[in-house]
């Protein structure tokens, strides 16, 4: 058991007498008396399960986006009813500018057979593909004439897939047809092949990346996705050095540059990163060890994505977000709606997302984002060129009750996007550490890290400690290799490590596990925002981690006096216990429970405006006990 788990254990022990008395006075529940044991599939079955998860994510993403397109077409018909041709054209142009997957829009007025087409250039394919394209377009027109909606099967033109969708207005006079590019499905599939480690990632040889065994640092060749559980990746011609007596002088740096053939090193905190034009890591290590006797010297590791104002009201109502009821199983699973009666977040509590960046123009994140920072391209904006960071951010704070897309867990916490991973979804120790330190220096109260590696980096740990010492709650994904090997930064004791569960409250088959796991959260087919103003369902501990980061934001909004350690302890001690009673290596202390945790965060005294809800809840619990 890690030191942070022992700390939490002490908190739990303080209430042991009450728990024992409560347990003794009721019959044992069947599920609690026979807790489900987590399954740990072998590599062959693990691959099969991951492939199933990938197909499930692609299928769910397809459904999410078809529902979103249907909603946009209906909205366009309603909002342009009776409008002039010019206003209709302006609306169509704005819709397509914000939603690039809408390849073509056709507006038909059946009263005078007037047809207007926006973005008239249809995709070009073979003669057979072009005939099929026009055939489905004619089918859409025929359906509208019969006052029916229409959705064609998917079809291929060139190298990309498309489908038609058609809607007719309520008055029956106007119809609209849209041609939709389905490239998001390819993006989701490619993303999840990496995120779920179904393929070797990153590719060796690209950007001079090499792999080492996380324990021995011996050379390792990654041939399959499963090999990633033993591997850590680093840049073979770079090295991270911390000098024993602070910083080297200008003259000493010039000597080093001449010796190893390098340009100006990058500096962050007390550490320096040197990139040699001629020497590999082993040669660099020998040079610095023999000549400079550093405090530490280590590879420059890569980190990969691990995808995977109190407004108090009465009884919670389901949000009106389009995709909530049908697709967001994850929020009810952790009592999010009930938790909103206690806290919906505060603009004063910033949640940083150190990731691939965020699509700032996504309509479901409008007003939720701060300017942020780009640690990959100096001076650049933290734009998302992968989709991962946008997805993570939507889980935390997609707009609620805006009739658009999905609902986030927090209504009001601002999200600080920090781009520390590049367009391949990978970043370095330096970029991740820089992102963490920048967020810490610019007001973040919570930092989400849906990324990881299996190498214990002192350099990264220094950055983690820097943020932790500034009273920041750090939350990290455990990893998607179905291994007990500790992943970093999740395994650092200053970080809350999050594993993933499915809709049945079982360990997700891909989720890493181990004694360092603190809590679990939903991580299978999680619907959220995605780049291109679209939506995707992704699986991974990357998706589980932001559930917990968002909860930390709600806690700190409700009770700003709590320290980061107290916030972490509250989340661990107010879970839904899964698996073996108490802490175990598959579920940690259990799956987070937003309502229960926020109740505890509010303290012993219930605010006056919450007193009726608190009494109702206590009466309900008493009635349930008497009925058993």
């Amino acid at each position: 058991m890690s030191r942070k788990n022992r700390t939490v254990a002490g908190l739990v022990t303080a209430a042991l007498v009450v728990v024992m008395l409560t347990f003794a006075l009721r019959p044992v529940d069947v599920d609690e008396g026979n807790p489900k044991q987590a399954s740990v599939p072998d590599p062959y079955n693990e691959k099969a399960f991951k492939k199933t998860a990938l197909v499930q994510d692609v299928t769910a993403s397809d459904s999410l986006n078809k529902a979103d397109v249907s909603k946009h077409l209906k909205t366009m018909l309603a909002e342009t009813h009776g409008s002039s041709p010019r206003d209709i054209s302006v609306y169509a142009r704005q819709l397509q500018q914000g939603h690039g997957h809408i390849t073509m829009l056709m507006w038909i007025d059946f009263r005078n057979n007037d047809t207007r087409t926006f973005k008239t250039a249809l995709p070009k394919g073979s003669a057979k593909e072009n005939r099929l394209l026009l055939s489905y377009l004619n089918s859409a027109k025929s359906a509208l004439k019969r006052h029916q909606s229409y959705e064609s099967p998917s079809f291929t033109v060139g190298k990309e897939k498309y489908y038609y969708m058609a809607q007719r207005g309520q008055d029956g006079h106007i119809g609209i047809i849209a041609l939709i590019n389905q490239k998001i499905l390819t993006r989701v599939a490619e993303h999840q092949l990496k995120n779920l480690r179904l393929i070797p990632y990153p590719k060796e040889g690209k950007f001079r990346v090499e792999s080492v065994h996380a324990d021995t640092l011996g050379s390792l060749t990654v041939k399959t996705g499963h090999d990633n559980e033993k591997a850590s990746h680093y840049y073979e011609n770079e090295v991270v050095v911390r000098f024993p007596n602070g910083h080297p002088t200008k003259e000493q740096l010039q000597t080093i540059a001449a010796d190893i053939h390098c340009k100006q090193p990058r500096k962050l905190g007390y550490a320096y990163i040197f990139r040699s034009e001629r020497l590999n890591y082993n040669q660099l290590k020998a040079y610095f060890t023999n000549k400079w006797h550093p405090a530490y010297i280590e590879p420059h590791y890569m980190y990969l994505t691990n995808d995977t104002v109190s407004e108090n009201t009465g009884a919670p109502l389901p949000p009106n977000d389009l995709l909530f009821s049908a697709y967001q199983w994850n929020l009810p699973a952790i009592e999010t709606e009930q938790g909103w009666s206690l806290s919906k977040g505060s603009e004063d509590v910033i949640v940083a997302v150190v990731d691939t960046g965020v699509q700032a123009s996504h309509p479901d994140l409008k007003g939720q984002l701060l300017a942020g920072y780009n640690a990959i391209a100096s001076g650049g904006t933290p734009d998302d060129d992968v989709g991962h960071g946008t997805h993570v951010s939507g889980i935390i704070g997609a707009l609620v009750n805006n009739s658009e897309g999905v609902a986030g867990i927090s209504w009001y916490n601002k999200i600080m996007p920090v781009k520390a991973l590049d367009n391949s979804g990978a970043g370095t120790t330096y970029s991740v550490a820089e992102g963490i330190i920048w967020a810490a220096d610019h007001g973040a109260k919570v930092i989400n890290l849906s990324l990881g590696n299996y190498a214990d980096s002192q350099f990264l740990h220094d950055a983690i400690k820097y943020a932790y010492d500034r009273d920041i709650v750090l939350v990290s994904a455990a990893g998607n290799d179905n291994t007990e090997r500790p992943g970093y930064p999740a395994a650092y004791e200053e970080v809350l490590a999050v594993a993933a569960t499915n809709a049945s409250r079982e360990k997700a088959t891909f989720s890493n596990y181990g004694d360092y796991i603190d809590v679990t959260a939903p991580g299978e087919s999680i619907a959220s925002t995605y780049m291109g103003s679209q939506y995707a369902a992704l699986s991974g501990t990357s998706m589980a981690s932001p559930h917990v980061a968002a909860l930390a934001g709600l806690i700190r909004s409700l009770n700003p006096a709590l320290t980061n350690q107290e916030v972490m302890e509250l989340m661990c001690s107010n879970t839904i216990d899964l698996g073996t009673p108490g802490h175990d290596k598959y579920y940690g202390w259990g799956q987070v429970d937003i309502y229960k945790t926020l109740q505890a965060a509010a303290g012993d005294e219930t605010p006056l405006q919450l007193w009726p809800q608190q009494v109702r809840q206590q009466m309900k619990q008493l009635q349930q006990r008497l009925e058993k």
Side-chain angles (χ1 to χ4, degrees):
M1 181 182 292
S2 68
R3 278 178 284 173
K4 61 179 175 180
N5 285 335
R6 284 198 293 270
T7 302
V8 177
L11 182 68
V12 174
T13 302
L16 184 59
V17 175
V18 176
V19 173
M20 291 177 65
L21 287 172
T22 302
F23 186 79
L25 293 173
R26 65 171 186 174
V28 177
D29 182 82
V30 174
D31 290 335
E32 293 180 2
N34 299 283
K36 295 178 180 178
Q37 297 300 313
S39 61
V40 182
D42 58 42
Y44 177 81
N45 286 322
E46 175 190 339
K47 186 174 182 180
F49 284 131
K50 286 182 175 181
K51 284 184 176 179
T52 300
L54 186 150
V55 171
Q56 179 176 295
D57 289 347
V58 171
T59 302
S61 296
D62 188 26
S63 299
L64 288 172
N65 285 285
K66 285 180 177 176
D68 186 54
V69 168
S70 177
K71 177 254 183 185
H72 282 300
L73 297 187
K74 290 176 181 176
T75 301
M76 181 177 179
L77 287 166
E79 294 189 358
T80 58
H81 180 71
S83 299
S84 68
R86 180 184 177 279
D87 289 341
I88 294 170
S89 177
V90 169
Y91 190 103
R93 185 169 62 251
Q94 291 176 343
L95 178 61
Q96 289 178 299
Q97 285 176 346
H99 300 80
H101 53 293
I102 303 178
T103 302
M104 182 272 289
L105 281 172
M106 181 177 288
W107 178 271
I108 305 174
D109 188 335
F110 288 99
R111 291 170 297 188
N112 53 21
N113 290 321
D114 181 26
T115 300
R116 300 175 183 274
T117 306
F118 310 101
K119 276 195 177 180
T120 55
L122 293 175
K124 300 294 184 181
S126 66
K128 182 179 179 179
E129 290 171 343
N130 291 337
R131 285 196 300 270
L132 190 62
L133 176 74
L134 294 175
S135 172
Y136 285 132
L137 177 57
N138 289 330
S139 296
K141 292 178 180 178
S142 298
L144 289 180
K145 288 179 180 178
R146 299 191 300 269
H147 293 264
Q148 296 174 346
S149 59
Y150 175 79
E151 181 185 308
S152 76
S154 294
F155 56 89
T156 301
V157 180
K159 294 183 179 180
E160 297 188 343
K161 285 190 172 184
Y162 299 84
Y163 71 93
Y164 280 108
M165 181 175 285
Q167 300 280 356
R168 190 148 179 168
Q170 290 185 351
D171 61 8
H173 301 315
I174 305 297
I176 188 168
I177 301 172
L179 177 64
I180 308 299
N181 188 309
Q182 291 187 289
K183 58 187 175 184
I184 186 175
L185 303 185
T186 302
R187 286 178 179 169
V188 169
E190 291 175 347
H191 183 279
Q192 290 302 78
L193 282 171
K194 297 176 182 179
N195 193 39
L196 295 176
R197 310 298 189 252
L198 279 163
I199 58 174
Y201 172 57
K203 293 181 179 179
E204 294 190 16
K206 186 178 182 182
F207 305 115
R208 301 184 72 182
V209 173
E210 291 295 331
S211 304
V212 293
H213 195 288
D215 293 335
T216 66
L217 296 187
S219 180
L220 176 70
T221 299
V222 177
K223 297 179 179 179
T224 69
H226 186 72
D227 290 338
N228 277 292
E229 75 168 67
K230 300 184 290 292
S232 287
H233 310 283
Y234 68 94
Y235 289 87
E236 68 170 11
N237 61 329
E238 296 188 3
V239 67
V240 180
V241 180
R242 179 171 177 177
F243 293 90
N245 299 315
H247 303 295
T249 64
K250 181 178 179 181
E251 290 73 20
Q252 288 173 325
L253 288 175
Q254 291 174 343
T255 299
I256 293 171
D259 289 346
I260 68 173
H261 304 279
C262 78
K263 296 180 180 179
Q264 184 73 17
R266 285 172 286 171
K267 174 181 172 292
L268 187 66
Y270 295 105
Y272 292 78
I273 295 177
F274 296 91
R275 173 181 289 182
S276 173
E277 297 175 359
R278 301 184 184 179
L279 306 181
N280 62 29
Y281 169 71
N282 289 328
Q283 293 168 324
L284 289 168
K285 181 178 180 181
Y287 166 78
F288 281 100
T289 300
N290 295 330
K291 188 166 183 176
W292 300 97
H293 310 291
Y296 66 73
I297 180 169
E298 64 186 25
H300 189 197
Y301 291 113
M302 301 182 71
Y303 290 82
L304 315 178
T305 61
N306 278 326
D307 352 92
T308 306
V309 179
S310 180
E311 285 189 13
N312 303 303
T313 61
L317 295 173
N320 64 16
D321 300 80
L322 177 69
L323 305 172
F324 177 81
S325 297
Y327 297 101
Q328 290 192 267
W329 66 269
N330 48 311
L331 299 196
I334 55 175
E335 301 293 352
T336 306
E337 295 165 87
Q338 200 168 6
W340 285 337
S341 66
L342 299 176
S343 175
K344 293 177 181 175
S346 165
E347 292 186 357
D348 296 330
V349 177
I350 297 169
V351 180
V353 176
V354 178
D355 212 291
T356 62
V358 182
Q359 182 197 336
S361 61
H362 198 293
D364 222 359
L365 293 171
K366 186 177 181 180
Q368 300 292 81
L369 305 174
L370 300 176
Y373 180 70
N374 191 327
I376 299 296
S378 178
T381 55
D383 298 325
D384 191 357
D385 42 19
V386 177
H388 188 270
T390 300
H391 196 274
V392 167
S393 297
I395 295 171
I396 295 171
L399 289 168
V400 184
N401 271 344
N402 65 336
S403 301
E404 172 89 30
V406 296
I409 292 172
S410 167
W411 294 48
Y412 302 122
N413 292 110
K414 291 297 184 182
I415 297 171
M416 175 188 287
V418 178
K419 185 173 179 62
L421 307 181
D422 62 21
N423 60 8
S424 71
T428 65
T429 318
Y430 185 94
S431 63
V432 174
E434 182 184 1
I436 292 169
I437 291 173
W438 190 92
D441 287 343
H442 289 80
K445 296 295 185 183
V446 180
I447 297 178
N448 184 79
L449 299 161
S450 288
L451 47 82
N453 195 330
Y454 294 109
D456 181 359
S457 163
Q458 296 180 68
F459 181 31
L460 180 65
H461 201 177
D462 280 348
I464 292 290
K465 291 176 182 176
Y466 181 90
Y468 182 83
D469 290 344
R470 281 151 183 78
D471 194 37
I472 294 170
V473 177
L474 296 117
V475 182
S476 181
N480 303 328
D481 293 312
N482 183 41
T483 179
E484 195 169 358
R485 180 182 300 278
Y488 299 94
Y492 293 130
E493 65 177 301
E494 298 87 0
V495 179
L496 202 74
V498 186
T501 49
N502 60 23
S504 300
R505 290 184 179 174
E506 297 169 334
K507 171 189 173 295
T509 53
F510 52 78
S511 180
N512 286 359
Y513 55 98
D515 289 339
Y516 69 98
I517 299 296
D518 292 301
V519 294
T520 60
E524 274 197 7
S525 282
I526 305 301
S528 185
T529 47
Y530 201 67
M531 62 186 294
S533 299
Q534 294 186 266
Y535 298 87
L538 300 181
S539 297
T541 55
S542 280
M543 285 65 251
S545 181
H547 288 78
V548 182
L551 172 55
L554 296 180
I555 295 170
R556 305 207 89 165
S557 301
L558 179 65
N559 192 340
L562 295 171
T563 66
N564 57 355
Q565 183 62 34
E566 289 170 335
V567 172
M568 293 166 71
E569 290 173 353
L570 278 169
M571 290 193 287
C572 290
S573 59
N574 290 280
T575 57
I576 303 165
D577 195 5
L578 303 174
T580 305
H583 185 273
D584 66 71
K585 65 182 181 181
Y586 300 113
Y587 302 102
W589 292 101
Q591 182 168 282
V592 291
D593 184 314
I594 289 182
Y595 180 66
K596 185 178 177 183
T597 305
L598 291 176
Q599 274 189 310
D604 294 332
E605 295 184 5
T606 303
L608 181 61
Q609 63 268 38
L610 293 183
W611 189 76
Q613 296 98 289
Q614 185 79 354
V615 171
R616 282 198 298 269
Q617 180 67 16
Q618 291 175 350
M619 292 294 291
K620 182 179 178 181
Q621 292 174 348
L622 179 60
Q623 182 179 4
Q624 289 173 343
R625 288 187 184 182
L626 294 173
E627 290 174 350
K628 290 184 177 180

